[in-house]
Amino acid sequence: MKKYLGFAIVAISLVLVSFTPLYSIDDVVAAMKTGNANQLSKYFDTRIDLSLPGKSDNYSKSQAEMILKDFFANNTVKNFVVKHKGEQNGSQFCIGLLQTKNGNFRTKFFMKQKGDQQVVQELGFEVTE
């Protein structure tokens, strides 16, 4: 009986662990293409270095989401084009071009392994000419 109980506990644990969300750089790119701050913030670490034209600081996840909502409201996203992405020592990074109705922004973000998933720790937008 103990043998079956132990097996059942292991089986249930494996099922529950399999539902843990695993984030990848492609998920962040997809959220960036839509300009959806709520979706994008799902991938943020508890604190994030956020850099926008005229504003740069380390923000909590919820603060960064609000700032990005305002940014995307003022700069309606048309598309996000990946220029370069890579991986080093388990961390991932991406450099791309955010195309908006008000112009283009060179965009970079950095993801780091935290626990069993990748989270965005840095996100930056620079105006391009």
Side-chain angles (χ1 to χ4, degrees):
M1 184 67 171
K2 288 182 181 180
K3 185 177 182 181
Y4 293 116
L5 182 60
F7 178 74
I9 290 172
V10 169
I12 290 171
S13 297
L14 287 174
V15 168
L16 292 175
V17 168
S18 69
F19 291 111
T20 302
L22 298 175
Y23 307 140
S24 75
I25 204 163
D26 296 325
D27 296 325
V28 177
V29 168
M32 195 75 72
K33 285 184 178 194
T34 63
N36 185 334
N38 186 35
Q39 181 70 24
L40 191 57
S41 70
K42 290 181 182 180
Y43 311 113
F44 289 173
D45 199 351
T46 52
R47 296 205 58 86
I48 179 170
D49 289 327
L50 181 61
S51 178
L52 299 166
K55 186 183 288 192
S56 180
D57 207 342
N58 183 278
Y59 299 100
S60 71
K61 185 176 185 171
S62 59
Q63 287 174 316
E65 180 183 354
M66 298 307 273
I67 291 168
L68 279 177
K69 278 184 183 176
D70 186 49
F71 176 74
F72 290 142
N74 293 324
N75 299 284
T76 305
V77 175
K78 296 193 306 190
N79 196 15
F80 179 74
V81 179
V82 174
K83 298 293 184 181
H84 181 70
K85 64 181 176 177
E87 186 175 331
Q88 184 176 13
N89 298 330
S91 298
Q92 297 179 329
F93 65 91
C94 179
I95 299 169
L97 186 67
L98 183 71
Q99 299 168 336
T100 73
K101 289 187 177 180
N102 296 339
N104 296 332
F105 295 86
R106 180 181 183 273
T107 306
K108 58 182 170 49
F109 60 88
F110 175 77
M111 298 179 78
K112 190 167 184 172
Q113 189 75 25
K114 189 170 183 182
D116 62 344
Q117 58 194 354
Q118 293 277 335
V119 291
V120 177
Q121 291 190 325
E122 296 177 28
L123 176 61
F125 301 90
E126 298 173 6
V127 176
T128 61
E129 303 299 313

